[in-house]
Amino acid sequence: MSLAGRAMAALGLAAVLGAGAVACRGDNELSGSVSELFPVTDVSRVEIRRNPEALQVSYFRNNGLDVDLVARLTVDTEGVDLKPGTKVQLGGTTPSGRDRASVVHVAAGEPARVFTQVERGDLVLDEGGNAGEATRGDFSLSFKKGDGYGAGRSMEGTFNSLALDAGFGPDLGDVVVDEPAP
């Protein structure tokens, strides 16, 4: 086989192996250098919530009699058309000046920890994204360097769950009935 033929074969094999690695990506997993702060493996369930203002992905882990909130990523969707295939930048701010993304960690017996600002990263939905839809996607981000919790670290995740309605619900004092009044 010629040198050019071997090079083409190697490129083809690399493409197949790369596609296989992407296809083997598991659902509902977390990783990254934040694992130096707390365990990110053994996620027992993922909850996705959606309303007109945000998408929220929460990773939970059973911890004896408690359930830890390993990480909750909240993405402010102001000015973003959140649909499958769209890459949402997680760093920076929204048009009105709020952080585009925020992350918290709450483990049993510990105070809630809010991560420092997201420096850069992105989130992509493969499907869904609205309340009531099967929603699958992934994200990757890094936190700003400095003194805050998680500073200079990274976090990556995959998610696959039914997106629940995170609507604001009725106002205090509203009467909620299942049947229309006669």
Side-chain angles (χ1 to χ4, degrees):
M1 181 182 282
S2 71
L3 181 59
R6 283 194 301 258
M8 290 302 288
L11 284 173
L13 180 60
V16 168
L17 291 175
V22 171
C24 292
R25 176 185 77 175
D27 288 332
N28 302 330
E29 294 180 351
L30 277 175
S31 61
S33 63
V34 296
S35 64
E36 297 166 1
L37 302 174
F38 54 85
V40 296
T41 57
D42 301 326
V43 170
S44 55
R45 81 180 161 92
V46 167
E47 185 177 278
I48 301 170
R49 296 210 173 250
R50 178 77 162 104
N51 68 22
E53 297 178 3
L55 173 77
Q56 190 174 73
V57 182
S58 300
Y59 296 83
F60 296 95
R61 180 175 61 89
N62 292 332
N63 182 6
L65 296 176
D66 297 309
V67 177
D68 292 343
L69 175 58
V70 178
R72 173 174 287 154
L73 169 66
T74 303
V75 180
D76 189 319
T77 57
E78 178 189 358
V80 172
D81 185 15
L82 188 62
K83 62 183 181 184
T86 301
K87 185 180 279 193
V88 178
Q89 297 303 315
L90 299 178
T93 58
T94 64
S96 62
R98 294 185 305 264
D99 286 343
R100 175 63 70 193
S102 62
V103 179
V104 298
H105 166 73
V106 184
E110 298 178 15
R113 292 190 164 86
V114 178
F115 279 77
T116 193
Q117 289 180 311
V118 173
E119 182 172 38
R120 66 179 167 271
D122 57 61
L123 174 139
V124 177
L125 294 178
D126 297 326
E127 66 179 281
N130 295 310
E133 295 179 343
T135 300
R136 182 172 49 90
D138 62 82
F139 72 91
S140 176
L141 58 83
S142 61
F143 299 99
K144 288 187 176 182
K145 293 180 176 149
D147 296 329
Y149 189 71
R153 298 189 190 281
S154 65
M155 180 182 288
E156 298 86 37
T158 59
F159 51 90
N160 186 0
S161 186
L162 180 69
L164 304 173
D165 183 5
F168 298 106
D171 288 334
L172 192 60
D174 284 354
V175 176
V176 180
V177 274
D178 292 333
E179 300 176 10

